[in-house]
Amino acid sequence: MKRIVAIHLLNDYSGSPKVLMQLLKAWTKNGIDAHLFTSGGRTGFLSDIPNVKNHFFWYRFSPSSWVRIANFFVSQFLLMIKLLFFLKKQDIVYINTVLPFGATIAGKIKGCKIIYHIHETSVKPKIFKNFLFGIAKLTADKIVFVSEYLLQQESLIDDQVLLYNVLESDFTDQADQFQYVEKPVPIVLMICSLKIYKGVDEFLKLAEKNNSYLFKLVVNASEKEIQEYFRGKTIPDNLTIYPTQTNTHPFYREASIIVNLSHPDLWVETFGLTILEGMRYRLPAIVPPVGGVTELVKDGKNGFLIHSKDIDKLSEMITYILSNSDVYQSFSEASYQTSLLFSEAYFEKESLKIISNL
């Protein structure tokens, strides 16, 4: 039986562990022996996946960049040692994101096939990015990219494939039962990490400028982290901020429009899973004009491509969509039709092809 050893650094409720969870489910469903190595002590999308054998290694996230980088390199040394005792030559080592380079070194020493699944381009600082991407280029037998944009941007080796992120059938089944009803007060929704480069501050400005709408911000952070981030900032009355949510369906159900305000100069969205989820709920979307997210949103068809710094233009287009019912219906239907292309059946077929061709 083929054995896949998948590695991910930080288990949480963000996009990259969610994609790995989907891959692990697809592989185990098809009789593949799947092992997962991730840092312990946290819950997230990689917790308690049926039929997956879990192994944990030490890593602690720290708000201090110096402590974080020290912790990271220690964790990779410990991971490498652990894997040197665990891996067999015939294993496939599946590295999720460019971060777990310790697994790559162990896999190379043991003679395993190495696959990288790359989700990001905005790794900082540049010297760190060059180090991690350099290791991927030197060691990978195959690299999987989550968007055409990322594949073109970070082309590294000859054997590269595109595997779009998709929606799980559990998610689509729930979403497809939903009947949209017009809200008395439209709700603008953003779901993201609590980072300045994700456009959190711009979302505040947008709420301030548009007090006839409600704004909901769901961040991948605790109440304490939210309080720290917004200390000293004025939060408009029409904006509500929510901590990490394990179930985002209620937010999509009540929303009228979904936005992504990432700063293209600091963080390029390489896919945009929350945008795709919103589209399944027939939500028009407004996203940056750069990155993989432009492969989901077509300007003037199911939303608009607008730079997050252009608050006036963002406000104008939100009002345009929400105040014209024909436009809203057209965008809404186009969003839903786009979401149908990103199915679990496509994902399962392609993910099995990726590992069978090694």
Side-chain angles (χ1 to χ4, degrees), residues 17 26 113 137 152 164 183 215 219 240 255 335 342 347 351:
K113 293 290 186 190
K137 186 173 184 173
Q152 300 300 333
Y164 279 119
K183 319 295 187 303
F215 286 74
V219 289
T240 313
S335 275
F342 298 85
F347 187 83
S351 64

PDB file of all heavy atoms in Angstrom, residues 17 26 113 137 152 164 183 215 219 240 255 335 342 347 351:
ATOM      1  N   PRO A  17      -4.220  24.640   5.832  1.00  0.00           N
ATOM      2  CA  PRO A  17      -4.555  23.369   6.488  1.00  0.00           C
ATOM      3  C   PRO A  17      -5.892  22.800   6.023  1.00  0.00           C
ATOM      4  O   PRO A  17      -6.084  21.586   5.991  1.00  0.00           O
ATOM      5  CB  PRO A  17      -4.589  23.713   7.980  1.00  0.00           C
ATOM      6  CG  PRO A  17      -4.600  25.182   8.087  1.00  0.00           C
ATOM      7  CD  PRO A  17      -4.010  25.725   6.822  1.00  0.00           C
ATOM      8  N   ALA A  26      -9.396  12.737   0.650  1.00  0.00           N
ATOM      9  CA  ALA A  26      -9.458  12.136  -0.693  1.00  0.00           C
ATOM     10  C   ALA A  26      -8.554  10.907  -0.766  1.00  0.00           C
ATOM     11  O   ALA A  26      -8.928   9.872  -1.325  1.00  0.00           O
ATOM     12  CB  ALA A  26      -9.048  13.169  -1.747  1.00  0.00           C
ATOM     13  N   LYS A 113      10.230  10.297  -2.479  1.00  0.00           N
ATOM     14  CA  LYS A 113       9.721  11.274  -3.446  1.00  0.00           C
ATOM     15  C   LYS A 113       9.129  12.447  -2.663  1.00  0.00           C
ATOM     16  O   LYS A 113       8.419  12.247  -1.676  1.00  0.00           O
ATOM     17  CB  LYS A 113       8.635  10.652  -4.326  1.00  0.00           C
ATOM     18  CG  LYS A 113       9.148   9.578  -5.258  1.00  0.00           C
ATOM     19  CD  LYS A 113      10.010  10.156  -6.359  1.00  0.00           C
ATOM     20  CE  LYS A 113      10.414   9.101  -7.392  1.00  0.00           C
ATOM     21  NZ  LYS A 113      11.428   9.617  -8.319  1.00  0.00           N
ATOM     22  N   LYS A 137      13.014  24.222  -4.758  1.00  0.00           N
ATOM     23  CA  LYS A 137      13.527  24.086  -6.130  1.00  0.00           C
ATOM     24  C   LYS A 137      14.566  22.968  -6.227  1.00  0.00           C
ATOM     25  O   LYS A 137      14.595  22.205  -7.189  1.00  0.00           O
ATOM     26  CB  LYS A 137      14.128  25.422  -6.574  1.00  0.00           C
ATOM     27  CG  LYS A 137      14.569  25.435  -8.021  1.00  0.00           C
ATOM     28  CD  LYS A 137      15.001  26.813  -8.461  1.00  0.00           C
ATOM     29  CE  LYS A 137      15.330  26.797  -9.952  1.00  0.00           C
ATOM     30  NZ  LYS A 137      15.598  28.133 -10.477  1.00  0.00           N
ATOM     31  N   GLN A 152       2.737  30.801 -12.493  1.00  0.00           N
ATOM     32  CA  GLN A 152       3.534  31.684 -13.358  1.00  0.00           C
ATOM     33  C   GLN A 152       4.545  32.482 -12.539  1.00  0.00           C
ATOM     34  O   GLN A 152       5.685  32.676 -12.942  1.00  0.00           O
ATOM     35  CB  GLN A 152       2.618  32.666 -14.110  1.00  0.00           C
ATOM     36  CG  GLN A 152       1.584  32.016 -15.008  1.00  0.00           C
ATOM     37  CD  GLN A 152       2.200  31.155 -16.106  1.00  0.00           C
ATOM     38  OE1 GLN A 152       3.314  31.382 -16.531  1.00  0.00           O
ATOM     39  NE2 GLN A 152       1.477  30.128 -16.535  1.00  0.00           N
ATOM     40  N   TYR A 164      -6.545  23.703  -8.253  1.00  0.00           N
ATOM     41  CA  TYR A 164      -7.318  24.756  -7.597  1.00  0.00           C
ATOM     42  C   TYR A 164      -7.883  24.259  -6.270  1.00  0.00           C
ATOM     43  O   TYR A 164      -8.264  23.091  -6.139  1.00  0.00           O
ATOM     44  CB  TYR A 164      -8.496  25.185  -8.484  1.00  0.00           C
ATOM     45  CG  TYR A 164      -8.125  26.151  -9.585  1.00  0.00           C
ATOM     46  CD1 TYR A 164      -8.310  25.820 -10.920  1.00  0.00           C
ATOM     47  CD2 TYR A 164      -7.606  27.411  -9.281  1.00  0.00           C
ATOM     48  CE1 TYR A 164      -7.990  26.712 -11.937  1.00  0.00           C
ATOM     49  CE2 TYR A 164      -7.289  28.311 -10.290  1.00  0.00           C
ATOM     50  CZ  TYR A 164      -7.477  27.961 -11.608  1.00  0.00           C
ATOM     51  OH  TYR A 164      -7.154  28.854 -12.608  1.00  0.00           O
ATOM     52  N   LYS A 183     -32.102  41.488   2.422  1.00  0.00           N
ATOM     53  CA  LYS A 183     -32.006  41.913   3.824  1.00  0.00           C
ATOM     54  C   LYS A 183     -32.519  43.350   3.975  1.00  0.00           C
ATOM     55  O   LYS A 183     -32.320  44.167   3.085  1.00  0.00           O
ATOM     56  CB  LYS A 183     -30.529  41.883   4.298  1.00  0.00           C
ATOM     57  CG  LYS A 183     -29.719  40.689   3.813  1.00  0.00           C
ATOM     58  CD  LYS A 183     -30.210  39.380   4.357  1.00  0.00           C
ATOM     59  CE  LYS A 183     -29.336  38.200   4.030  1.00  0.00           C
ATOM     60  NZ  LYS A 183     -29.059  37.906   2.632  1.00  0.00           N
ATOM     61  N   PHE A 215     -21.489  46.010   8.656  1.00  0.00           N
ATOM     62  CA  PHE A 215     -20.228  45.386   8.275  1.00  0.00           C
ATOM     63  C   PHE A 215     -19.876  44.326   9.309  1.00  0.00           C
ATOM     64  O   PHE A 215     -19.967  44.571  10.515  1.00  0.00           O
ATOM     65  CB  PHE A 215     -19.113  46.437   8.204  1.00  0.00           C
ATOM     66  CG  PHE A 215     -19.216  47.314   6.987  1.00  0.00           C
ATOM     67  CD1 PHE A 215     -20.185  48.312   6.903  1.00  0.00           C
ATOM     68  CD2 PHE A 215     -18.364  47.134   5.908  1.00  0.00           C
ATOM     69  CE1 PHE A 215     -20.302  49.109   5.775  1.00  0.00           C
ATOM     70  CE2 PHE A 215     -18.473  47.937   4.772  1.00  0.00           C
ATOM     71  CZ  PHE A 215     -19.440  48.925   4.713  1.00  0.00           C
ATOM     72  N   VAL A 219     -12.405  37.246  12.027  1.00  0.00           N
ATOM     73  CA  VAL A 219     -10.952  37.097  11.953  1.00  0.00           C
ATOM     74  C   VAL A 219     -10.492  35.796  12.608  1.00  0.00           C
ATOM     75  O   VAL A 219     -11.122  35.300  13.532  1.00  0.00           O
ATOM     76  CB  VAL A 219     -10.224  38.303  12.614  1.00  0.00           C
ATOM     77  CG1 VAL A 219     -10.369  39.547  11.763  1.00  0.00           C
ATOM     78  CG2 VAL A 219     -10.720  38.559  14.031  1.00  0.00           C
ATOM     79  N   THR A 240     -19.272  44.901  13.365  1.00  0.00           N
ATOM     80  CA  THR A 240     -19.128  43.891  14.423  1.00  0.00           C
ATOM     81  C   THR A 240     -17.945  43.002  14.067  1.00  0.00           C
ATOM     82  O   THR A 240     -17.807  42.578  12.914  1.00  0.00           O
ATOM     83  CB  THR A 240     -20.403  43.030  14.559  1.00  0.00           C
ATOM     84  OG1 THR A 240     -21.540  43.887  14.584  1.00  0.00           O
ATOM     85  CG2 THR A 240     -20.378  42.201  15.824  1.00  0.00           C
ATOM     86  N   ALA A 255     -25.105  37.509   4.774  1.00  0.00           N
ATOM     87  CA  ALA A 255     -24.373  38.556   4.054  1.00  0.00           C
ATOM     88  C   ALA A 255     -25.053  38.915   2.736  1.00  0.00           C
ATOM     89  O   ALA A 255     -25.827  38.127   2.181  1.00  0.00           O
ATOM     90  CB  ALA A 255     -22.949  38.103   3.795  1.00  0.00           C
ATOM     91  N   SER A 335     -21.803  34.494  -9.702  1.00  0.00           N
ATOM     92  CA  SER A 335     -20.966  33.992  -8.610  1.00  0.00           C
ATOM     93  C   SER A 335     -21.228  32.509  -8.373  1.00  0.00           C
ATOM     94  O   SER A 335     -20.294  31.705  -8.264  1.00  0.00           O
ATOM     95  CB  SER A 335     -21.268  34.757  -7.306  1.00  0.00           C
ATOM     96  OG  SER A 335     -20.536  35.941  -7.238  1.00  0.00           O
ATOM     97  N   PHE A 342     -15.497  24.609  -9.149  1.00  0.00           N
ATOM     98  CA  PHE A 342     -14.498  24.210  -8.155  1.00  0.00           C
ATOM     99  C   PHE A 342     -15.079  23.121  -7.260  1.00  0.00           C
ATOM    100  O   PHE A 342     -15.362  23.328  -6.088  1.00  0.00           O
ATOM    101  CB  PHE A 342     -14.057  25.445  -7.358  1.00  0.00           C
ATOM    102  CG  PHE A 342     -13.410  26.484  -8.227  1.00  0.00           C
ATOM    103  CD1 PHE A 342     -14.176  27.423  -8.910  1.00  0.00           C
ATOM    104  CD2 PHE A 342     -12.039  26.500  -8.393  1.00  0.00           C
ATOM    105  CE1 PHE A 342     -13.581  28.371  -9.726  1.00  0.00           C
ATOM    106  CE2 PHE A 342     -11.429  27.450  -9.210  1.00  0.00           C
ATOM    107  CZ  PHE A 342     -12.200  28.384  -9.878  1.00  0.00           C
ATOM    108  N   PHE A 347     -11.311  17.885  -7.649  1.00  0.00           N
ATOM    109  CA  PHE A 347     -10.182  17.918  -6.709  1.00  0.00           C
ATOM    110  C   PHE A 347      -9.685  16.506  -6.415  1.00  0.00           C
ATOM    111  O   PHE A 347      -8.478  16.244  -6.419  1.00  0.00           O
ATOM    112  CB  PHE A 347     -10.639  18.616  -5.425  1.00  0.00           C
ATOM    113  CG  PHE A 347      -9.551  18.866  -4.425  1.00  0.00           C
ATOM    114  CD1 PHE A 347      -8.727  19.969  -4.542  1.00  0.00           C
ATOM    115  CD2 PHE A 347      -9.363  18.012  -3.340  1.00  0.00           C
ATOM    116  CE1 PHE A 347      -7.726  20.226  -3.605  1.00  0.00           C
ATOM    117  CE2 PHE A 347      -8.366  18.260  -2.402  1.00  0.00           C
ATOM    118  CZ  PHE A 347      -7.552  19.374  -2.540  1.00  0.00           C
ATOM    119  N   SER A 351      -6.044  15.178  -7.442  1.00  0.00           N
ATOM    120  CA  SER A 351      -5.111  14.903  -6.335  1.00  0.00           C
ATOM    121  C   SER A 351      -4.585  13.470  -6.403  1.00  0.00           C
ATOM    122  O   SER A 351      -3.440  13.210  -6.044  1.00  0.00           O
ATOM    123  CB  SER A 351      -5.787  15.166  -4.982  1.00  0.00           C
ATOM    124  OG  SER A 351      -6.867  14.290  -4.768  1.00  0.00           O
TER     125      SER A 351
END
